[in-house]
Amino acid sequence: MKIKSLGYTAWVDVCGVKREVNVALVADGVASLIGSWVLVHVGFAMSRLDEQEALDTLAALRQMEEVEHDVTMFLKQ
């Protein structure tokens, strides 16, 4: 995660897309999060994750997207 310090706001990389995120819930400052994985929801970092947990979460989200796509295709028939 690349950080640009703006108080409790940081710029993060979310699957290749740069987003501004409030990190006040997971850290006392932005500097302590540089290089960290965080779970982001609606513009807020909700929790810190270790790398394996982050990769597992991304894999699960991608699987849900695949299921969603399959369900959507089924409903269109």
Side-chain angles (χ1 to χ4, degrees):
M1 156 166 117
K2 294 182 182 177
I3 300 294
K4 177 183 175 187
S5 179
L6 300 169
Y8 283 104
T9 303
W11 283 97
V12 302
D13 181 320
V14 179
C15 298
V17 177
K18 305 294 186 258
R19 298 193 184 275
E20 192 172 1
V21 173
N22 184 302
V23 297
L25 296 173
V26 297
D28 290 331
V30 174
S32 67
L33 290 173
I34 294 173
S36 297
W37 290 87
V38 294
L39 178 64
V40 176
H41 182 63
V42 296
F44 291 87
M46 304 301 291
S47 63
R48 294 177 87 157
L49 308 172
D50 64 40
E51 185 173 10
Q52 188 58 54
E53 186 177 15
L55 295 173
D56 292 344
T57 300
L58 284 171
L61 289 170
R62 288 187 178 115
Q63 286 177 342
M64 283 188 268
E65 181 178 51
E66 290 172 12
V67 170
E68 174 83 18
H69 177 72
D70 291 345
V71 170
T72 301
M73 292 302 290
F74 176 78
L75 293 174
K76 287 182 178 180
Q77 293 180 355

